[in-house]
Amino acid sequence: MDGHEEDLVDIDPYDDGSFPEFRWKRAPQGLATRRQLRAMRLRPGGQEAVARITCRRGQRFAYLYRVDLAKPIRPMTLAKELALDKAMAARQTCPKCRRRYHVCLPLKTLGSCLECHDGTPADPTTYLAAPEHDLAA
């Protein structure tokens, strides 16, 4: 090859050039990522992404949505709140001592809280006592 490599251009056959890409912190006003929309108590609301932002030298990207087309987040219903509490209880309750901790427990690796696993005493302010009907069983 006698210097023709300089003329070669990498072309994506599926990119028609209509999807703008911005560098980190260079997106125009009126566009936001999902997390930024969530912080504004908004959601994309079915709209397609209009651009994307790249960071970490093009290794990571996030889609951008128009803020003016975003919709308000749906309010938390009682049923949704109960379902979330039940899911968190499963992650925070030790299956051996039935205490519910204020943090998620390493149930996949240890299978229980640290006190049940290796005897490390737990601070009483970090958990709720097991329900009375569980203690009697």
Side-chain angles (χ1 to χ4, degrees), residues 2-3 13 15 17 21 30 37 45 51 58 66 68 77 81 84 86 95 106-107 115 122 126-127 129-130 134 136-137:
D2 48 354
D15 183 15
E21 192 167 310
L37 287 175
R66 289 180 46 183
D68 61 333
T77 64
E81 189 173 348
L84 288 172
K86 186 176 178 182
L107 298 177
E115 189 165 346
T126 62
Y127 62 85
D134 283 352

Side-chain angles (χ1 to χ4, degrees), residues 43-107:
R43 61 186 169 95
Q47 66 172 303
E48 296 290 324
V50 295
R52 78 179 197 176
I53 191 163
T54 59
C55 58
R56 299 202 182 182
R57 297 186 179 129
Q59 299 297 313
R60 308 266 306 186
F61 66 91
Y63 290 109
L64 296 169
Y65 302 90
R66 289 180 46 183
V67 176
D68 61 333
L69 297 179
K71 297 180 179 176
I73 58 172
R74 295 181 183 105
M76 179 72 74
T77 64
L78 183 59
K80 186 187 261 188
E81 189 173 348
L82 290 172
L84 288 172
D85 185 58
K86 186 176 178 182
M88 287 306 293
R91 298 177 67 196
Q92 296 172 335
T93 303
C94 176
K96 294 182 181 176
C97 65
R98 306 300 305 156
R99 291 185 206 155
R100 181 169 177 181
Y101 287 80
H102 300 296
V103 296
C104 294
L105 297 175
L107 298 177

